[in-house]
Each structure stands twice: as C-alpha cells, then as structure tokens.
Amino acid sequence: MLKIGIILGSTREGRVSPQVGEWVQGVAEKRGDAVYEIIDIADFKLPFLGEPGGDTSGVAAWSEKVAACDGFVFIAAEYNHSITGALKNALDYLRNEWNNKAAGIVSYGSVGGARAAEHLRGILGELLVADVRVHPALSLFTDFENGTIKPKDVQTDSVNQMLDQLIPWATALKTIR
C-alpha cells in the first residue's frame, strides 16, 4: 500500500496547520487507498540550512521519513505571499528523497493560501515532485471560526478530488524509483 506523508508546513506558535493536517488525514483515511501519516517538520528541529554551528541531529531522521513516503500532501500556510521559511528550509535539506514522487497541496490563508501554493509548485518541480492540479484552498475567513478549522463541505470534496489525482500519480511514479 502507498504511504502518503501529510507534511505540516508551519512551525509557528499558534499555528493551525496541525488542525488542517488532522482534518485532511481524517478525510483521506476514509478512502482506504493508502496509509496517511502526519509529518510535522517542527519535530525534526532542522536548523537553517548552511548556518554554521547548527544542530543537524534531526536531518537523518528527516531524510528517512521523507524517503519512506511514496507521495505527499503539503499543508501550506501563506506567510507574506509565499510558503513559510520553515517549509522552504525543510525542502532544501533534501534532494533525492523527493525525486519522482507525487504531491498534493492544501493551502490556507487570507486568500486561501493560493500564492503560497503557486510558489510551492515551482519548488516541487525543481525537486522532481509531480504536483497534482486540484488544490484545496482554505480561507481564514470562511473555513475557520475563532482559530478552529470548520471547512465547508466543498472543501472535503476538493480534498477527495486532489487525492483522486495524487494516488494514481504516486502509484505510477513508484514504478520508476
């Protein structure tokens, strides 16, 4: 069975990415088409890439976790019209572990995180990750209530449509790794 990592892309205090990731995992697990695991980049405590003296003890575990996945769902918060610095740093730490895998993106922000998703697509392309077209975009104004995720039904449909694309791509790409 395929293993899909749901990567939480924010490490900020008070972040909502864990809520979004748990919601996506709940929708995904009802499908029975893959094993879905939440991967929190905050757990790996990756120092800023290239900064001298940083504790790189979490890098090996990060590498193993990403390498073990067949595909990903990135939970992308939009900060200043782009992805978080923590997600960019985590992506940059690895190269081959990402190659020839598929990804979906679930973003959130004031305009649904659309600008973050577009920036993430460019980065994923450079890492040889095939991202799928359907992109659930959660609005902080309509899909959250007092900081708690309360997505509209259309968002659940969108997650399923994204996974309908992700699973075949992940399956196909597995054959060339």
Side-chain angles (χ1 to χ4, degrees):
M1 187 162 284
L2 292 176
K3 183 172 182 181
I4 306 297
I6 300 171
I7 297 181
L8 305 184
S10 176
T11 59
R12 276 192 184 171
E13 187 74 29
R15 64 197 170 134
V16 297
S17 61
Q19 290 180 53
V20 177
E22 289 170 11
W23 171 70
V24 168
Q25 185 180 37
V27 171
E29 287 181 339
K30 291 177 184 169
R31 300 167 55 92
D33 54 3
V35 174
Y36 295 90
E37 177 186 2
I38 292 177
I39 302 171
D40 190 346
I41 60 177
D43 291 342
F44 298 90
K45 300 183 180 15
L46 300 171
F48 188 69
L49 183 64
E51 186 143 319
D55 176 10
T56 59
S57 61
V59 175
W62 173 240
S63 173
E64 289 174 25
K65 185 62 78 173
V66 170
C69 292
D70 299 302
F72 308 97
V73 174
F74 287 91
I75 308 300
E78 183 172 310
Y79 293 177
N80 300 319
H81 291 218
S82 191
I83 63 172
T84 67
L87 178 55
K88 178 67 167 88
N89 190 55
L91 288 163
D92 287 347
Y93 255 100
L94 306 176
R95 180 101 192 139
N96 295 333
E97 295 88 342
W98 300 114
N99 292 175
N100 299 313
K101 295 182 180 179
I105 300 168
V106 176
S107 64
Y108 63 93
S110 59
V111 292
R115 297 166 295 206
E118 287 308 306
H119 284 182
L120 182 54
R121 287 181 194 282
I123 297 163
L124 293 176
E126 192 61 27
L127 294 170
L128 301 178
V129 176
D131 62 283
V132 300
R133 182 179 178 275
V134 175
H135 158 220
L138 302 170
S139 168
L140 292 176
F141 302 115
T142 60
D143 293 303
F144 292 84
E145 190 175 293
N146 298 320
T148 301
I149 189 170
K150 304 260 188 208
K152 306 292 182 225
D153 289 341
V154 69
Q155 299 293 14
T156 301
D157 295 341
S158 187
V159 168
N160 276 307
Q161 291 168 16
M162 175 198 60
L163 295 172
D164 287 344
Q165 293 177 353
L166 176 63
I167 296 303
W169 274 98
T171 301
L173 288 169
K174 189 173 184 173
T175 66
I176 64 171
R177 285 196 310 279

